[in-house]
Structures are given as C-alpha cells and as structure tokens.
Amino acid sequence: MAIAGFMITGPAAEQVFRVQSPWLRSWTMFSAIGVGVVDASFEIRGPDGALVPLDRFEMFGAPRNGRLKWIQNREDLASVIKRLCTVAGQGADIRVRARLGTRGGWQAIHTDAENACAG
Amino acid sequence: MPKMPAPADAIADWRPTPAMAARLAAWAAGTEGSSRSSALIRIGLAMLFWSRWAGELLLYRDQSPAGLFLAANFFLATALLFVGYHSRLAAVWTGSVGLAMYYYFGFELGREPWTHHHTYLLAVAALLIALTPCGRSYSLDRYLAVTRAERAGVPPPAERGNLWGLRLIVVQLSVLYFFAAFDKSNHAFLSGARLEQIFLWFYAGSDYPSGLAWPATIVSVAVVALEYCLAFGLPFRATRRYLVLPGLTFHAIIYVTLPVYTFSATMALLYIAYFDADAVDKVIARLQGIGSAAPAGGEIS
C-alpha cells in the first residue's frame, strides 16, 4: 500500500498540487519539447504589387536541412528578417507571420500587417 | 416520508463491500503464480539497462572515482540480474544503481538525459521486479536449486511465488498512463498545437507544413483518449484484449518517431505484468514443448 501510495502521490503532488521536487516523479512526457519553436512564413511583394511566398532558403542559397531550418527564437527571427531585407534590396516589402510555441499553445510574435523591412 | 440523504451523506455512507475488498486484497497481495513471467521481465530489464547505458558507462568514459564506481556497480549488478544469481538482490542493486544515476548523477551533477522518465521507469521497474519470484525461473538461482534438489533426491522447487510485485508494476503503469493523459488534458494539447510544435521541433523546422492542423488535432485527441483507456482498461481482462495491441502500437510509433530512448521498450516489456502469470507460463510451455509450472485451467487473457 505504501509503495502504491508513493507511486500515486508523486505525480499527484507535482501535476495537481504543483509541488516541484526532484524526489517526486511526474509523468509529463515531452511537456517541454517544442516549447520555444518558431513557426514563420514569409511573403514578398512582387513588381505587380501582389504578395508571393518567399523561400528563405532560396533567397540565401542555403541548404534546406541546414541551420536555417530552425529559427530558434525571437532574436533569430529578427536576424533572419534583417538578412532577408538586405538581400531583397532597398524598398523591399516583406511580410512576416510568425508564432512561438508555448506550453499554452501558439503565441503570435509577428504579424504581416506591416512591411517588416520598413524602419 | 424519509428524507433523501444529502450527497455528502451518500459519500460518507459508501463502503466497498467486504467481498470486493477481499478480492482486491487477494489480487494485490495474495496471488501465487508462475515465476516465469517475472523472470522474463528480469532478463528483459537487464538487457534494457545495457542497451541504454552500457556504452556510456564503459570504464574509459568517466575515469573519475565516482564514474568508475558507478560503472563497476552498473555492470556487476546488471550481469547478476541477467544471469539470475541472487536475482532479487541483483534487482535491488540494479534499481539502486538506476536511482543513483537518476537522482545523484542526473539531478545533482546535471548529467543528462539521466533525469528523464525513461531512467526513472527502468530503475523503479528493477526495484519492483525484486518483489517478485524473478529468480525462480530462467536463472542461475534456478539451476543451483535444481542441482541441490537432485543431489538431495527431492523434487526441484516449484517455479512459483507471490506475485504482488507484478501487481505493483500494473499500478505503476496505470498511474503513468493516467498522469500522462492528465497532463495533456488541456486546450493546448487537445487543439493539436502542442503536437504541431513537437512536429516542427523534430521534423519540419520553422516551416509549418500545409495540412498539418487537422491530423494534429485528431491524433492529439486520440492519444489522450487512448492513454486514459490504457490507464483504466489494461488491468482488466475484459478490456485488456482490446487495448494491448493499440498500446503496443502507440509505443512502437513513439519509439520510431521521438527520442524516447528505452521508454517504449520498457513499457512493452512491463506489459507482461498485466497478463495472468500462469497463462503466460502455459504459452511458454506450449511453445517450447516443456512442462508448465502452472496448475491446469489458465488461459491467456
């Protein structure tokens, strides 16, 4: 009974009552994996005024399975945007939609309402 | 006219019937059965310990006194567990090594991923198998016991024992499934968002694949529903027959898609604890054409 009780109280304490201790084992597998991942999509305004998808790998001539595959955080996203704007040239209109993975779901961190290269 | 009891009174008046309590107690602590299924788990656990850590614990890897002490204990304890010499003591030793890796080397010294759930599960499984007659079959202990019996001119000891350790493994697995499902019972997971994040993290990078949303939502709901079903359904024969295959498939998919190390394999091995030990024994006997340690009448369930 004591052993079974310990099996139950450990995760109950941490997952129900939020008691944090390494001595108590919760069963929250992969609860932190994916948190912090950035989902980003890019569009660029063409000569005809229409927005078309922008492939950042093609733009940079970078391999699709390289470092650029994962945008690590907000700072990394800002860096990618800055580089895209530089490569696209002065006056480019690049729209960026990005969201950040959190434990509570997705959190928008960049909208495509404005030109990311402006300012 | 008698007054209806308030809900609180109804709860206070609720008592499990003595027959139910007696059945539960008999199931939990009073069941004797074949030791062969416990022995299979013992051997499987030793192999899982090796497959997970033998490479990391080779003597040249960490030549500090603590590292060498850990490695020596690891290889001695798991070797004894595998061959089944002083099997239950070896299981306690192996489990203690696992807990030392988890608590001391993992949490205290920061060695990762030794603080992960697969480490804890293996350590606890080794400790729980020590509470079973895991050395009475398929072991050096058994060989020596048979040899002694032959010398003494008496029948060899029965390959049987109390199975309360297997019951505790069943409780551990159900608790694990329940709290794993409980952790996911929120909008973030059930909407599919958390699964999408995990998919991007390991596979897609920062480019969301088109058409991912619906499958992610469906799979998320299915995973949570399955985990609750496994928690409450696997211990019972009537529901187990429908859940074993989905449960094993679930772990197989996780094993090949995510870095869960030995977790899936450990879970699959521990599924043996769900089955009636005598029924497992009969299957082994039938497959190998050898005598069964179990009394007649059991069926695999």
Side-chain angles (χ1 to χ4, degrees):
Chain A
M1 286 294 280
I3 298 170
F6 178 77
M7 288 175 186
I8 297 165
T9 52
E14 189 160 332
Q15 293 180 236
V16 180
F17 302 107
R18 304 290 171 201
V19 178
Q20 293 284 333
S21 167
W23 297 102
L24 304 170
R25 178 70 236 186
S26 63
W27 296 106
T28 54
M29 283 77 89
F30 286 91
S31 61
I33 300 295
V35 171
V37 75
V38 173
D39 163 26
S41 62
F42 306 88
E43 287 180 313
I44 188 165
R45 197 173 296 282
D48 60 352
L51 285 168
V52 293
L54 170 61
D55 186 335
R56 65 183 185 282
F57 302 101
E58 211 171 89
M59 193 82 164
F60 293 138
R64 291 191 181 276
N65 261 325
R67 200 192 148 274
L68 194 59
K69 183 171 179 178
W70 281 273
I71 296 172
Q72 305 286 346
N73 46 44
R74 289 168 193 262
E75 293 72 31
D76 202 15
L77 177 67
S79 163
V80 169
I81 292 171
K82 193 174 170 187
R83 288 166 60 202
L84 281 173
C85 293
T86 305
V87 174
Q90 204 163 19
D93 181 356
I94 292 176
R95 307 288 167 139
V96 181
R97 261 182 304 170
R99 53 186 185 164
L100 181 73
T102 70
R103 283 177 194 267
W106 289 109
Q107 179 195 346
I109 55 172
H110 208 289
T111 69
D112 56 359
E114 290 178 358
N115 179 6
C117 299
Chain B
M1 190 174 166
K3 211 172 117 187
M4 289 291 285
D9 298 334
I11 292 166
D13 287 339
W14 184 85
R15 295 276 188 283
T17 65
M20 269 178 67
R23 273 184 65 188
L24 180 66
W27 174 84
T31 309
E32 281 227 345
S34 167
S35 53
R36 287 179 181 167
S37 57
S38 310
L40 289 178
I41 297 176
R42 186 199 84 235
I43 294 165
L45 286 175
M47 295 173 83
L48 284 169
F49 266 88
W50 286 338
S51 78
R52 175 61 189 87
W53 288 295
E56 279 186 60
L57 290 174
L58 291 172
L59 297 181
Y60 73 88
R61 287 293 191 96
D62 180 357
Q63 297 180 27
S64 68
L68 290 171
F69 184 71
L70 172 67
N73 274 274
F74 174 86
F75 285 111
L76 281 173
T78 51
L80 292 179
L81 187 70
F82 182 72
V83 300
Y85 185 62
H86 292 291
S87 304
R88 297 176 73 172
L89 197 62
V92 173
W93 192 3
T94 302
S96 303
V97 168
L99 287 184
M101 291 169 73
Y102 177 77
Y103 284 115
Y104 181 69
F105 288 88
F107 281 102
E108 287 296 314
L109 302 185
R111 195 156 175 178
E112 292 291 0
W114 289 12
T115 61
H116 287 204
H117 50 271
H118 70 276
T119 308
Y120 184 83
L121 182 65
L122 262 178
V124 163
L127 291 176
L128 292 177
I129 209 66
L131 304 174
T132 68
C134 64
R136 290 190 194 166
S137 299
Y138 308 135
S139 62
L140 187 53
D141 290 336
R142 172 71 183 166
Y143 179 82
L144 294 174
V146 170
T147 305
R148 275 195 300 270
E150 282 171 354
R151 279 199 196 126
V154 296
E159 291 181 73
R160 300 182 66 76
N162 191 300
L163 302 177
W164 72 293
L166 291 183
R167 308 310 191 218
L168 284 171
I169 290 175
V170 166
V171 172
Q172 178 63 86
L173 295 188
S174 283
V175 167
L176 187 159
Y177 278 130
F178 174 79
F179 281 101
F182 179 78
D183 180 56
K184 299 181 186 81
S185 299
N186 53 62
H187 181 258
F189 193 89
L190 293 170
S191 67
R194 290 286 299 122
L195 217 57
E196 290 170 353
Q197 291 163 12
I198 291 169
F199 186 77
L200 263 64
W201 181 278
F202 285 114
Y203 291 95
S206 292
D207 299 275
Y208 188 91
S210 63
L212 178 63
W214 272 108
T217 305
I218 291 165
V219 171
S220 298
V221 173
V223 162
V224 174
L226 178 63
E227 285 184 335
Y228 277 123
C229 289
L230 293 171
F232 294 110
L234 277 176
F236 301 102
R237 185 185 301 190
T239 41
R240 186 186 312 137
R241 66 181 64 195
Y242 304 108
L243 290 168
V244 167
L245 200 56
L248 291 176
T249 305
F250 172 58
H251 286 298
I253 291 169
I254 292 174
Y255 189 67
V256 297
T257 54
L258 298 169
V260 292
Y261 302 94
T262 48
F263 182 76
S264 284
T266 308
M267 293 295 284
L269 176 69
L270 296 180
Y271 268 34
I272 295 173
Y274 282 117
F275 294 99
D276 177 67
D278 287 340
V280 173
D281 180 284
K282 278 187 168 32
V283 171
I284 295 167
R286 202 174 82 216
L287 291 176
Q288 298 189 338
I290 55 173
S292 169
E299 274 183 26
I300 193 84
S301 55

